Amino acid sequence: MVFKLNLRSNLILFIVLIVLCCGNCSHVKGVWSTKDFFKFLLKFGVQKTDVHYEKDTKGYVFGNITSRTNFSHLVTFSVLDRRYFLEYYGNRSVDDKEQACKKMFRKISTIAFDVPCFENKQSEDFIRKVPCDKNEVCKEDKLGSVVNGYQLTFEVTDIKEPRFWYLSLVACYRNETTCEWHHFNEEAELEYDIWFVNGNPNISSFNPLIYQFSFDRQNTILLYLVFFLCYMVLVPLQMYAVTRQHHPVTKLFTVSLLLEFVGLLFNLLDVTKFSIDGVGYHRIAMAGDILDILSRTTFMLLLLLLAKGWAVTRMELTWKPLVFTIWFVYGVVHILLYVWNMTEVDIIEDIDEYQTWPGWLILVLRCQIIVWFLFELRTTMLYEHNSKKLNFFLHFGASALVWFIYLPILALIAMQIPAFWRFKLLLGITYSADCLAYCVMAHLLWPTRSEQYFLLAYEQDAREELDEFNEAPHVINSVGYAELRQASSCDSITHEITKVIT
């Protein structure tokens, strides 16, 4: 019962995320009520600042935070790096919110610039008191430069290395007389519209490949575009092949390829729009990810069927329930991993999907499938004596094994890669392995080649077969011989009748 309730709550949360969330947005907007105490807004990777072009390579946070109602005390908007955010974020769950505010800002108060409590020259620009007056610049921003048309601006400089920064709102305020932090124990709403970008927003010549993107996702649009162009060549070729050969293996492979192509197209649309507005098409991106999962599971099913010799050495498939159960379980676990990564993994964790328990589960399951795949392939090859079919199985087995085994190896390598490079590494190698596997399979299943080893199981026109049969040399010879015998018989009968008459 508890498991069902947890599963139901996770599904509801997943649906809410699809409708409301913007994933890795760099532009967030909405309404926040102080009764919720804490609101996490955004995690964003700021690139390393180039000292020669400092203004143009900094990270910038800018936007508006206003309210339609009056606040008795101004609450806090914070922009923190990981060193200060972890303690701040961990203390948000303290039950006594008065104590939570004191603990959350205990470390930050020693470094964050705050008039009149902390105005040290070495202070950091971490917090703002919000909401700001409408059409007015926030109090702290009157001392610095503000992006035109907005109320607040933070300039983030990271000279040594890229870093993640975290944006949030919290119902805490600082007493300007005692400099103590207190809980804002009233219910009020404020509206926020915040941008976080890499590059100077005051100039128009920014790079669209990096400006809206967190550092760990910069230039990913190029990866999607390169593989999209590859599939633009491969998909039409395979569509031509499937019209030339109506075979179940070819059809199943074409379905897998089309799912991959459409999923990639959805992701490309998302990142293209994201490069423009910092939001993208989040629901389309989720649909693209799910299609990508379905494509890989369908391709895995095709590999398992071929390993058992289906449509190559035999038309009847043995152990059907086992094959389709393994395929179904693998697909369900893969989707579970995606949902888990979206709903259960804390945003502040610098881990990838394969460092969670569903991730380890799918890797173990994949390794077991690899062993079973090799066993079935070996059994099939032992019962096959056709040299062309054996040659096909050798090439097929080698390429399929590479596709099966790359993911467990990649997951182990990714654990040693810093978070800023991990996403692009996983994305690039995954798409490369899939694209290469599809290209090899398209080559092996090309009609002029596969007809040598496929058991063709499609209907032909019976009239064409009859015409071909009638035109066969042995049929023509037999017909001629029959006509000759018939003619000889007639001549002999006529001769006998003539003899009787005479």
Side-chain angles (χ1 to χ4, degrees):
M1 180 64 69
V2 174
F3 174 76
K4 291 182 178 179
L5 290 174
N6 289 337
L7 180 60
R8 183 179 299 175
S9 63
N10 285 339
L11 289 174
I12 294 173
L13 180 57
F14 182 59
I15 294 171
V16 170
L17 283 170
I18 292 178
V19 176
L20 298 178
C21 287
C22 60
N24 296 285
C25 296
S26 65
H27 180 202
V28 290
K29 58 190 306 183
V31 178
W32 173 62
S33 173
T34 56
K35 69 178 181 180
D36 295 329
F37 183 67
F38 182 83
K39 174 69 175 180
F40 180 82
L41 298 177
L42 179 64
K43 174 185 177 182
F44 193 84
V46 176
Q47 64 191 5
K48 181 181 177 181
T49 304
D50 187 341
V51 293
H52 300 292
Y53 305 96
E54 187 173 340
K55 274 286 183 182
D56 297 335
T57 57
K58 285 183 177 181
Y60 287 84
V61 181
F62 58 95
N64 300 316
I65 302 179
T66 59
S67 177
R68 298 178 182 178
T69 59
N70 293 324
F71 278 60
S72 59
H73 296 281
L74 299 181
V75 294
T76 305
F77 170 66
S78 66
V79 179
L80 303 171
D81 68 2
R82 191 173 182 81
R83 295 171 299 170
Y84 295 94
F85 183 76
L86 291 179
E87 181 179 315
Y88 164 86
Y89 183 74
N91 287 318
R92 80 194 189 286
S93 56
V94 174
D95 293 333
D96 185 349
K97 298 308 177 187
E98 185 73 16
Q99 291 299 316
C101 288
K102 295 181 186 300
K103 291 182 177 181
M104 290 174 72
F105 288 93
R106 180 171 51 199
K107 185 177 180 179
I108 298 172
S109 297
T110 63
I111 192 68
F113 179 84
D114 188 9
V115 179
C117 294
F118 194 83
E119 299 183 65
N120 193 301
K121 292 182 179 180
Q122 297 181 346
S123 59
E124 296 283 354
D125 190 15
F126 282 163
I127 60 176
R128 291 289 184 276
K129 297 171 183 177
V130 294
C132 308
D133 295 331
K134 278 198 172 183
N135 302 319
E136 294 288 337
V137 175
C138 294
K139 180 179 177 181
E140 293 86 350
D141 284 278
K142 292 179 180 178
L143 303 176
S145 59
V146 181
V147 175
N148 295 331
Y150 296 96
Q151 295 177 305
L152 59 88
T153 298
F154 292 81
E155 295 184 4
V156 181
T157 305
D158 286 314
I159 297 176
K160 293 183 179 180
E161 60 182 1
R163 278 191 293 177
F164 281 116
W165 290 75
Y166 306 83
L167 278 60
S168 62
L169 289 161
V170 63
C172 296
Y173 69 93
R174 196 173 195 176
N175 187 306
E176 294 186 357
T177 303
T178 63
C179 291
E180 293 291 331
W181 287 93
H182 302 283
H183 175 217
F184 180 78
N185 195 18
E186 301 174 23
E187 185 175 344
E189 289 186 346
L190 53 79
E191 300 173 357
Y192 57 89
D193 183 0
I194 305 295
W195 296 75
F196 205 151
V197 297
N198 276 304
N200 191 347
N202 291 316
I203 62 174
S204 58
S205 58
F206 54 80
N207 186 345
L209 300 178
I210 65 175
Y211 180 70
Q212 300 280 6
F213 293 90
S214 173
F215 180 78
D216 58 317
R217 294 174 184 263
Q218 288 180 350
N219 296 310
T220 52
I221 188 172
L222 293 178
L223 285 174
Y224 287 117
L225 184 59
V226 166
F227 289 108
F228 178 77
L229 294 177
C230 291
Y231 284 112
M232 283 292 289
V233 176
L234 183 58
V235 169
L237 289 175
Q238 182 57 32
M239 295 304 295
Y240 169 77
V242 78
T243 59
R244 292 289 305 275
Q245 188 180 68
H246 303 289
H247 195 274
V249 170
T250 308
K251 291 179 180 178
L252 186 59
F253 172 64
T254 305
V255 169
S256 176
L257 181 61
L258 288 176
L259 287 172
E260 179 73 8
F261 177 68
V262 175
L264 180 59
L265 174 62
F266 284 177
N267 282 311
L268 181 60
L269 290 174
D270 170 60
V271 295
T272 301
K273 184 173 181 291
F274 189 97
S275 67
I276 299 171
D277 63 4
V279 178
Y281 295 116
H282 189 55
R283 278 177 275 185
I284 288 181
M286 284 186 166
D289 292 339
I290 292 173
L291 287 176
D292 189 47
I293 293 172
L294 294 177
S295 169
R296 290 170 188 164
T297 53
T298 305
F299 187 69
M300 189 198 73
L301 174 63
L302 173 63
L303 299 183
L304 294 177
L305 293 176
L306 287 175
K308 290 182 69 65
W310 178 65
V312 179
T313 62
R314 62 177 70 92
M315 286 305 298
E316 288 296 326
L317 180 64
T318 58
W319 296 94
K320 287 182 183 180
L322 177 61
V323 175
F324 286 98
T325 299
I326 291 175
W327 169 67
F328 178 76
V329 170
Y330 183 82
V332 168
V333 173
H334 213 315
I335 294 176
L336 173 63
L337 170 62
Y338 181 73
V339 175
W340 179 275
N341 194 49
M342 293 291 295
T343 59
E344 298 294 331
V345 176
D346 200 322
I347 189 67
I348 70 167
E349 297 292 338
D350 288 338
I351 60 174
D352 63 77
E353 55 189 332
Y354 297 110
Q355 295 177 29
T356 61
W357 73 261
W360 287 113
L361 178 61
I362 201 169
L363 291 176
V364 170
L365 182 59
R366 191 179 179 101
C367 290
Q368 292 177 340
I369 292 174
I370 291 173
V371 175
W372 187 56
F373 168 82
L374 291 174
F375 173 78
E376 291 291 346
L377 183 62
R378 179 179 179 273
T379 302
T380 301
M381 293 181 70
L382 287 175
Y383 285 93
E384 181 58 64
H385 301 289
N386 185 295
S387 60
K388 292 181 179 179
K389 292 183 179 182
L390 285 173
N391 187 58
F392 163 75
F393 280 123
L394 285 174
H395 289 85
F396 160 74
S399 58
L401 183 60
V402 171
W403 183 83
F404 267 118
I405 207 169
Y406 88 89
L407 189 59
I409 295 175
L410 178 61
L412 293 175
I413 294 174
M415 295 175 63
Q416 311 302 320
I417 304 298
F420 279 114
W421 309 101
R422 191 183 300 136
F423 176 79
K424 286 181 277 192
L425 174 74
L426 288 170
L427 184 70
I429 295 182
T430 299
Y431 271 117
S432 298
D434 290 344
C435 185
L436 180 61
Y438 284 125
C439 289
V440 171
M441 189 60 66
H443 172 74
L444 292 175
L445 302 184
W446 192 254
T448 56
R449 181 176 295 101
S450 61
E451 65 184 9
Q452 301 174 13
Y453 40 77
F454 269 173
L455 299 175
L456 300 180
Y458 58 90
E459 295 182 359
Q460 294 180 335
D461 191 342
R463 288 174 301 177
E464 293 181 1
E465 292 183 353
L466 183 61
D467 291 340
E468 292 177 0
F469 178 78
N470 288 335
E471 293 175 2
H474 68 279
V475 175
I476 294 174
N477 293 336
S478 63
V479 170
Y481 179 69
E483 290 176 351
L484 182 61
R485 288 190 61 185
Q486 184 177 2
S488 300
S489 300
C490 289
D491 290 343
S492 60
I493 293 172
T494 303
H495 180 68
E496 291 295 330
I497 293 173
T498 304
K499 285 174 64 179
V500 170
I501 294 175
T502 54

